[in-house]
Amino acid sequence: MTNPRHDAIDGMKEADGMDEVDVLVVGSGGGGLVAALAAQARGLRTLVVEKSQYYGGSTVLSGGSIWIPNAPEILRHRAAESPDDLIAYLEAISDGTVSRERIRAVVEQGPRMLAFLERAGPHMRFEWRPDYPDYHPAAPGGSVVGRSVEALPFDRRELGDLDASMREPTLRTPRGMWIRSNDLHAFLGIRRSWKGKAMFLRLLARMVRAAITGARITTRGEALIGRLRLTTLDAGIPLVLETPLTQLVADDTGRVVGAHVEQQGRTRVVKVKHGVILASGGFDHDLPMRKQHQPVLTSDWSMGAPENTGDGIRAAGDRGAGVALLDDAWWMPAIPWGEGKLGLLLFERQIPGQFIVNGDGRRYTNEAGPYTDFVHDMIAGENAGVTHIPSWLIIDEQSWRTNMFAGHLPLPKIPWAPVLTGRTLPTAWTESGSVKKADSWAELADMIGVPADNLAGTVDRFNSFARQGRDLDFGRGDSAYDNYYGDPRLPNPNLREMTRGPYYAFKVIPSDLGTKGGVLTDENAQVIDVHGRPIPGLYATGNTSAAVTGHGYSGPGGTIGPAMTFGYVAAEHIASLAAGTSPSAP
C-alpha cells in the first residue's frame, strides 16, 4: 500500500509555492486539517505548517470523539434536536462567559462541517455514540442521549509512507486489539456480564486476525487524523513538518499578511493573501507560562502534544490579540507513574467501591463526575489551604478483583497476555511510589500520610451512603454521566460498601488533555484584539483560542468538535471575503 506520492509531499523540506499562499494554516490537528480542507475546497491555495516532526497534534492522542449535536450521522438514526435547546445547554455550562453568537455558530455550523467532510472524500466516515450522555445531562438543554460521533476504524497501512510521520498515541492497546468507545463500555464489564466476556473474546479474535493479515486497524484519535490526512493528500494540500511559527507579519493597517516560520535553522517569510488560521494548540508544556496563570502546578503533567508551548497564542498576542481562560485547562486526574508516565483516571472514578480523599483524609467532591470538574474542585481545595495535590484514590480488594483499573485486567495471571493481569500489584506500580497497599484502614492512613481518625470517619460515612444508595454529601450516582461506567447491577451504580481489605491507595495529581485558554475569537473564528475588534486576516481555533464552553465541558469530544467546527468556519469566512461576498451568517 506504499504510495511514493506520500513521501513527496510529507517529507519535503520546501513546498512548491510556499513563499506565497492564499491561506496559511498553523498546526495539523483536527482543527487545522479541517480548516485546510475547507479553504482548499473554496479554491484557495492553502499550506499547512507543523512545528513537530509528526502530524496530528493533540487530536491523535485523544479519544477522537467529536461533540456535534445534529451531526449528519446522528440524524440518520434520530430526529433533529432544537438549536435553542443546544444553545441553552452551552450557555448553562459556560456560565454566561461566552457570547451567544459564538455558541450559535458552533451549534449551527458543526453539522455543516461534518456534512462537508463526508462530501470531501471517501475516507471521512463516522459512527454515532448513542449511549454516552453529555457531561451535564441535567443542565438546561442537556441530554442523556449521545451527541458525539467518531471516525470509523481505520487501517494505518492506507497511509503508506505517511504512517511513519503520524504521531503515536500515548495510550495504545496491544497491536490488533483495536477498540471503539462503545466496545470499551462493554469490555469494562468483563467480570460482571457475558457481554463483557464476549467483547474480550472479540478483541482477542481481532488480534489473531491482525497477526494473520498484517492489518493495522486503529480507532479514536488515530483513526480521525489518519482519515483527515488522506483526505488532505487527495486534495493536494501540502503539509510541511518541522516548521514552527515564530512571528506574524502585519501591514500598516494592522492586517495580518504573512508569517515567519523556521525551517532547517533559518527563517522563511510566507506571504499570505487572505488569512492565517492558528491551530497550533495551547501552552500545555510551557511550564513557566502555566505557573504564571495556574500557580497550583509544580510539574509538567500535561498529556497534550509535547510541542504545544503556546507559539500561536504568543504570536497573536504580539499583534494585539486579547486572551481569556488562561487559568484553566481540559483537566484530567491522573496517576503519576514516574519518568513522565501518567495513567489517566476516567472510568476508574465511576467504580462503585472507591473514593478519593485529600490530605485531611476526607472526600471533597463527586468522584464520578466530569473529569474537568473534578480537578476544578481539587485545585479549589488546594488553594483553600488543605493539601489536595496529591489526593488519593482508594479501592478495596473486591474492586481490585472485579474492575479494570489503570490498564490492569481483573484476571488471573496470564504469562503471554499483552496487558497487565494477575492478583498482585505490578512491580512497576509499587516501585513508582504512587500505589500503597495495606491490610487495615489505620495502616493505609499512615502510609499515605492522612489522619487515621478522619479516614475512618470517611469510610463509615461512605459506607452508610452505599447502604442507602445515595451520596448525601456530593450526589455521586445521581447523574446519568456518573452511571455510564458504573455497575448497573447496583441500586446506585456508583456506590458499594468497602468492607474487606487489603486496601489500595493510588496517588492522584491534576493532569490535562491540553490548556483551555487562548486568544479571544468571534463567531467567525476571527481573532479579537484587546479593544474587542477583529484583527483582519487572523483566525484561530482549537486550544489556541479560548474555549467556546468557557470553564465548562459539554461532553465527549467537546474539545475536538468545536475545534474542527471553527476551523471550517474560519475557512468559510476567509473564502467569502476573498470572493467579495458577505460571509454567510453562522
Side-chain angles (χ1 to χ4, degrees):
M1 292 189 179
T2 300
N3 184 342
R5 181 174 165 229
H6 291 185
D7 221 19
I9 291 183
D10 213 56
M12 64 186 173
K13 296 302 181 184
E14 296 185 9
D16 291 339
M18 179 178 173
D19 292 330
E20 187 168 355
V21 295
D22 292 328
V23 176
L24 175 66
V25 177
V26 182
S28 63
L33 294 183
V34 170
L37 283 167
Q40 190 89 347
R42 292 292 297 269
L44 300 175
R45 193 154 53 95
T46 303
L47 170 69
V48 181
V49 294
E50 167 58 51
K51 177 181 183 179
S52 173
Q53 62 180 313
Y54 304 107
Y55 62 86
S58 291
T59 304
V60 77
L61 305 176
S62 74
S65 291
I66 307 166
W67 192 85
I68 298 290
N70 291 332
E73 178 60 21
I74 295 177
L75 297 187
R76 296 183 183 109
H77 302 275
R78 59 170 299 192
E81 297 185 76
S82 162
D84 289 341
D85 288 344
L86 301 173
I87 291 170
Y89 177 64
L90 291 176
E91 287 185 329
I93 66 168
S94 62
D95 199 25
T97 60
V98 180
S99 72
R100 172 167 279 224
E101 292 77 15
R102 195 164 172 236
I103 287 174
R104 182 177 294 279
V106 78
V107 166
E108 296 186 354
Q109 296 283 26
R112 297 173 190 171
M113 177 272 297
L114 284 179
F116 159 74
L117 288 180
E118 289 185 352
R119 296 191 304 269
H123 307 296
M124 300 312 303
R125 296 294 178 264
F126 305 93
E127 61 184 349
W128 179 31
R129 300 185 62 181
D131 300 323
Y132 205 150
D134 285 339
Y135 289 170
H136 301 277
S143 176
V144 298
V145 179
R147 288 168 166 169
S148 302
V149 298
E150 58 186 44
L152 288 177
F154 173 74
D155 192 337
R156 286 185 61 156
R157 293 180 299 175
E158 294 186 42
L159 288 167
D161 294 334
L162 288 181
D163 180 57
S165 53
M166 184 164 84
R167 183 182 299 282
E168 294 292 331
T170 307
L171 304 174
R172 175 177 286 286
T173 56
R175 182 164 181 171
M177 191 182 276
W178 55 272
I179 185 166
R180 294 173 293 199
S181 298
N182 293 333
D183 296 339
L184 176 63
H185 189 229
F187 177 57
L188 291 176
I190 185 172
R191 288 296 302 272
R192 62 174 183 255
S193 73
W194 286 108
K195 186 177 180 181
K197 294 175 177 63
M199 180 54 64
F200 181 51
L201 294 176
R202 189 177 303 171
L203 296 179
L204 292 177
R206 290 173 183 172
M207 288 184 65
V208 172
R209 190 179 303 117
I212 295 172
T213 65
R216 299 188 61 219
I217 307 298
T218 189
T219 57
R220 303 162 78 82
E222 281 182 89
L224 175 59
I225 288 297
R227 290 178 176 279
L228 282 170
R229 186 65 189 97
L230 283 184
T231 306
T232 59
L233 181 73
D234 291 346
I237 301 171
L239 190 163
V240 187
L241 302 175
E242 299 181 274
T243 305
L245 169 73
T246 58
Q247 183 180 337
L248 293 169
V249 179
D251 63 16
D252 292 341
T253 70
R255 178 182 181 83
V256 172
V257 294
H260 290 182
V261 298
E262 186 176 306
Q263 195 176 67
Q264 292 183 295
R266 64 190 182 96
T267 297
R268 297 194 59 174
V269 179
V270 182
K271 296 179 181 178
V272 181
K273 187 174 182 181
H274 295 300
V276 175
I277 303 175
L278 301 175
S280 51
F283 57 104
D284 317 356
H285 297 284
D286 185 331
L287 191 56
M289 187 174 178
R290 296 204 67 168
K291 286 183 175 181
Q292 176 187 353
H293 298 286
Q294 302 161 7
V296 73
L297 295 181
T298 58
S299 299
D300 183 352
W301 288 321
S302 180
M303 297 183 189
E307 295 80 11
N308 289 354
T309 55
D311 300 351
I313 297 171
R314 277 189 293 272
D318 290 343
R319 298 262 59 89
V323 294
L325 301 176
L326 297 182
D327 61 338
D328 208 353
W330 303 102
W331 300 109
M332 170 68 77
I335 303 169
W337 292 127
E339 299 180 353
K341 297 179 181 178
L342 297 166
L344 61 84
L345 292 170
L346 178 61
F347 51 81
E348 292 87 349
R349 295 177 299 105
Q350 296 182 351
I351 291 171
Q354 58 80 24
F355 57 76
I356 297 176
V357 298
N358 59 21
D360 273 352
R362 304 182 192 277
R363 295 177 65 216
Y364 56 89
T365 189
N366 170 14
E367 296 91 344
Y371 37 91
T372 292
D373 291 355
F374 176 90
V375 178
H376 282 158
D377 290 341
M378 174 188 276
I379 292 173
E382 182 77 12
N383 288 335
V386 177
T387 298
H388 284 66
I389 303 174
S391 294
W392 293 90
L393 186 154
I394 300 173
I395 63 174
D396 63 1
E397 181 69 8
Q398 182 177 343
S399 290
W400 173 249
R401 287 176 175 262
T402 57
N403 294 279
M404 182 174 171
F405 195 93
H408 173 273
L409 289 185
L411 299 173
K413 183 67 176 178
I414 304 174
W416 49 265
V419 293
L420 296 172
T421 58
R423 302 299 190 196
T424 60
L425 288 171
T427 302
W429 288 14
T430 56
E431 290 178 350
S432 73
S434 291
V435 186
K436 308 294 182 182
K437 178 182 177 182
D439 292 324
S440 70
W441 291 112
E443 182 185 2
L444 188 67
D446 182 64
M447 295 179 75
I448 64 176
V450 304
D453 289 346
N454 288 357
L455 183 60
T458 295
V459 173
D460 289 344
R461 189 166 179 81
F462 177 84
N463 284 342
S464 73
F465 293 159
R467 289 191 293 272
Q468 298 174 56
R470 187 171 182 198
D471 177 4
L472 298 180
D473 285 342
F474 303 108
R476 179 165 134 189
D478 292 350
S479 168
Y481 172 78
D482 297 1
N483 301 159
Y484 185 69
Y485 288 120
D487 187 342
R489 301 172 302 176
L490 298 173
N492 184 324
N494 304 105
L495 293 176
R496 178 185 58 74
E497 284 190 84
M498 298 168 63
T499 58
R500 182 167 66 91
Y503 305 103
Y504 306 82
F506 294 80
K507 185 181 292 186
V508 182
I509 51 91
S511 180
D512 60 75
L513 309 176
T515 50
K516 180 181 281 196
V519 300
L520 290 170
T521 55
D522 64 11
E523 65 272 19
N524 298 311
Q526 278 192 288
V527 175
I528 303 300
D529 69 16
V530 293
H531 303 293
R533 300 171 302 203
I535 299 176
L538 186 60
Y539 299 76
T541 191
N543 291 346
T544 309
S545 60
V548 71
T549 53
H551 291 290
Y553 204 152
S554 56
T559 55
I560 297 174
M564 294 169 63
T565 298
F566 281 113
Y568 169 79
V569 167
E572 287 290 301
H573 191 259
I574 292 170
S576 295
L577 293 179
T581 60
S582 297
S584 58

